[in-house]
Amino acid sequence: MKKRENWSWRGAFVFAVLGSAVGLGNAWRFPYMVAQNGGGAFLIPYIFALLTAGIPLMMLEFGIGHKFLGAPPIAYRRANKKLEMVGWWGNAASFVIITYYGVVLAWAINYLVHALTLAWGDDTTGFFLNFLRVSEGPHILGGLNVPVLIAFVIGWIMVIAIIRSGVTGLGKVVVFTAIAPVILLIILSIRGITLEGALAGLDYYLSPNFAALADLTVWRDAYSQVFFSLSLGMGVLIAYASYLPRDAELSNNVFIASLADAGIAFLAGLAIFSTVGYMAAQQGAAVADVAGSGGIGLAFMVFPQVINLLPGAAAFGVIFFLLLITLAIDSQFSLVEGCVGAVMDKWNLSRGTALAIVSLPGFLIGLVFVTNGGLHWLDIVDKFVNGYGLIVVGLVECIAIGWIIGPQKIRDHVNGLSEIKVGKWFDFCVKYLTPAALIFILVFNLIIDIKEPYGGYPQWALNVGWAMVILLPIVAFIFSKLKTAKEADEFVEEQS
Ligand code: PHE
């Protein structure tokens, strides 16, 4: 077997994990999830989900990747031949995310250009809808949106260029892409908080709404947001951990990455909701209405508002969107890398071939979201793949590790390497707590979603979402049955 590629220096791994975790999930998805769930109702379930699923599962994925040295399918296969499918399942889910993540990235690239002239003017909401020329419903695709298409191609070229350079290259890019955005978000938050009306926005964001905790869709969204934001359940972290040196620290990296990710999402929320408060005050509208009407485009309507109000707005806007792009790119390449690693390891292919196998279909399918009806589809696919796809994968992971492989095996491995020892709580989470929470959420949301179609979309469009969720394990099963290169089955214990 080829010697496994390694991160080039010690800090590279934690930066890479941060680079993957911190992305559009923090700056774009988190705020609109908060808004969709009525503001202050969201933070408590979110923190709960972070502790009960986020941290244990991240530990688990680091442990598997590092112990069994492979991208997800092969790592699971080495743990137990029957489990290979679990790995592919995560890869399949991440592939779905790859297809639309690149489109949101393309919006950001367009906004970078618009920032030069502050083209969005004062009516940033109208500008966004006009920019996407959103069709009336998912049944009207309309044509391709040319500016988005151009940016979509550019985005893919950048991602491919970075991945081609291999793991050593990744290590260098992420240092910049992980840190710089934080500084910008702090500046935006400070400006946001000092705006007129900001307090009402912050109140909406931060004051806990205990009544809403009874609504189970809030919990589902919180868990799926944690999965999305921490890059969990998609094999990315398994693949990344497999590139670590044999004597790497694991557990402290889990805490650094998960807490930093949550902190950055929180910061983005501060900037967004203080500005939403300002927008509401300007329009004489209620904060909840302004936040709720933004939908999936919320961040793109709100960030430009606060940018308008900064000294040197255009320059600031350019820097901000540049950073949003870098933030998104390292997440997108981690998604692609997870799949590329899987294909490479399974069939012992070269990086280039595997990259072509993953990115060509990823690009082509993504074109659906570049159409005028794309926003509706993005909304549906995002909802289903995160709300069901990822949560199911997380559950399957817990069952595989908790009940088949044995959580103490992973824990022993992690503890053998790390300064911070992982206690028995880990076994308890993986065996009981996390799966129980996930099953509970799945069952109740199934009932809710069957009763009341999500987002008012027609049933046939939602069925596409359901079909996708069902297809994920089928595809995973088929892939796991394909012939494996014999190199993948030679387990080399001592590598570095
Ligand atoms: N965590 C990334 C974000 O927050 C998205 C992502 C999901 C990346 C899954 C890798 C795997 O934007």
Side-chain angles (χ1 to χ4, degrees):
M1 189 175 153
K2 296 177 289 205
K3 182 167 163 26
R4 200 161 185 81
E5 294 171 88
N6 267 181
W7 298 109
S8 44
W9 52 285
R10 280 202 153 262
F13 172 69
V14 73
F15 273 106
V17 171
L18 277 174
S20 167
V22 180
L24 295 168
N26 308 58
W28 159 72
R29 199 172 190 281
F30 177 78
Y32 95 78
M33 277 293 126
V34 173
Q36 243 178 26
N37 287 292
F42 196 69
L43 282 184
I44 295 174
Y46 185 78
I47 293 169
F48 196 82
L50 187 70
L51 298 177
T52 58
I55 291 179
L57 280 176
M58 187 181 263
M59 195 80 80
L60 184 154
E61 294 201 352
F62 279 6
I64 301 181
H66 190 253
K67 182 169 167 66
F68 297 107
L69 276 184
I74 296 305
Y76 274 106
R77 182 184 170 88
R78 286 179 179 150
N80 180 331
K81 271 221 164 105
K82 296 208 183 72
L83 293 178
E84 181 179 338
M85 175 187 168
V86 179
W88 287 114
W89 200 339
N91 281 132
S94 71
F95 180 78
V96 173
I97 297 181
I98 289 173
T99 62
Y100 71 80
Y101 205 88
V103 178
V104 185
L105 169 63
W107 300 349
I109 296 177
N110 270 275
Y111 266 69
L112 171 66
V113 178
H114 293 314
L116 288 169
T117 55
L118 297 177
W120 47 67
D122 290 331
D123 178 17
T124 53
T125 305
F127 181 84
F128 178 76
L129 297 173
N130 200 24
F131 153 67
L132 288 187
R133 280 186 244 107
V134 184
S135 72
E136 272 160 46
H139 59 293
I140 306 176
L141 280 187
L144 288 169
N145 185 321
V146 177
V148 179
L149 178 64
I150 295 172
F152 186 57
V153 173
I154 295 175
W156 264 106
I157 292 176
M158 290 196 283
V159 170
I160 290 174
I162 298 172
I163 293 194
R164 277 189 54 137
S165 73
V167 170
T168 347
L170 290 187
K172 294 187 194 109
V173 186
V174 290
V175 177
F176 174 72
T177 57
I179 296 180
V182 177
I183 300 170
L184 261 262
L185 282 176
I186 293 176
I187 299 178
L188 287 182
S189 300
I190 295 175
R191 182 65 190 110
I193 291 169
T194 50
L195 290 172
E196 182 202 337
L199 281 186
L202 291 178
D203 185 50
Y204 170 82
Y205 175 40
L206 299 176
S207 33
N209 174 353
F210 291 104
L213 293 182
D215 180 356
L216 286 168
T217 57
V218 178
W219 289 87
R220 186 257 319 263
D221 284 349
Y223 274 86
S224 44
Q225 175 60 22
V226 163
F227 275 85
F228 186 93
S229 195
L230 292 184
S231 311
L232 287 174
M234 282 164 278
V236 169
L237 300 182
I238 299 182
Y240 272 24
S242 77
Y243 302 130
L244 274 170
R246 295 290 75 207
D247 59 349
E249 276 268 350
L250 295 176
S251 61
N252 55 353
N253 284 338
V254 170
F255 293 108
I256 298 174
S258 53
L259 297 178
D261 182 75
I264 293 170
F266 182 75
L267 197 60
L270 281 184
I272 291 269
F273 289 101
S274 54
T275 310
V276 166
Y278 163 81
M279 288 164 74
Q282 297 297 306
Q283 298 164 13
V287 174
D289 292 341
V290 175
S293 63
I296 192 166
L298 183 69
F300 287 87
M301 301 167 182
V302 177
F303 279 128
Q305 278 284 345
V306 57
I307 289 169
N308 278 345
L309 299 167
L310 285 163
F316 206 90
V318 170
I319 299 176
F320 176 75
F321 282 103
L322 207 58
L323 289 179
L324 192 64
I325 292 165
T326 59
L327 206 109
I329 281 193
D330 50 10
S331 299
Q332 174 75 330
F333 72 55
S334 77
L335 280 161
V336 179
E337 174 67 29
C339 293
V340 167
V343 172
M344 260 165 71
D345 283 0
K346 168 98 178 172
W347 292 290
N348 202 25
L349 294 173
S350 72
R351 183 165 272 281
T353 317
L355 184 56
I357 293 176
V358 175
S359 40
L360 201 63
F363 173 81
L364 291 176
I365 297 172
L367 290 176
V368 173
F369 307 111
V370 180
T371 62
N372 298 342
L375 190 78
H376 307 297
W377 286 109
L378 208 157
D379 191 7
I380 294 170
V381 170
D382 177 72
K383 189 70 174 191
F384 277 85
V385 75
N386 291 297
Y388 290 99
L390 290 187
I391 291 191
V392 176
V393 177
L395 178 61
V396 174
E397 284 195 307
C398 287
I399 296 172
I401 302 295
W403 297 90
I404 302 176
I405 299 177
Q408 72 288 353
K409 266 200 203 146
I410 303 293
R411 186 155 59 90
D412 288 347
H413 180 78
V414 172
N415 283 346
L417 297 163
S418 314
E419 246 170 63
I420 307 178
K421 303 288 180 223
V422 182
K424 285 238 167 56
W425 60 266
F426 174 76
D427 303 19
F428 175 74
C429 282
V430 174
K431 279 183 95 150
Y432 305 104
L433 184 65
T434 315
L438 299 182
I439 290 176
F440 183 74
I441 285 169
L442 278 172
V443 170
F444 278 94
N445 279 286
L446 217 57
I447 298 171
I448 296 169
D449 274 336
I450 289 172
K451 270 202 208 138
E452 194 187 328
Y454 167 69
Y457 290 110
Q459 192 57 47
W460 67 269
L462 296 176
N463 287 346
V464 175
W466 288 117
M468 178 194 71
V469 172
I470 295 167
L471 258 177
L472 298 179
I474 298 178
V475 170
F477 178 77
I478 296 175
F479 270 57
S480 72
K481 290 293 167 213
L482 296 177
K483 196 168 170 336
T484 309
K486 69 175 187 312
E487 288 80 357
D489 281 330
E490 291 162 10
F491 188 5
V492 188
E493 183 65 67
E494 223 41 65
Q495 293 258 339
S496 53

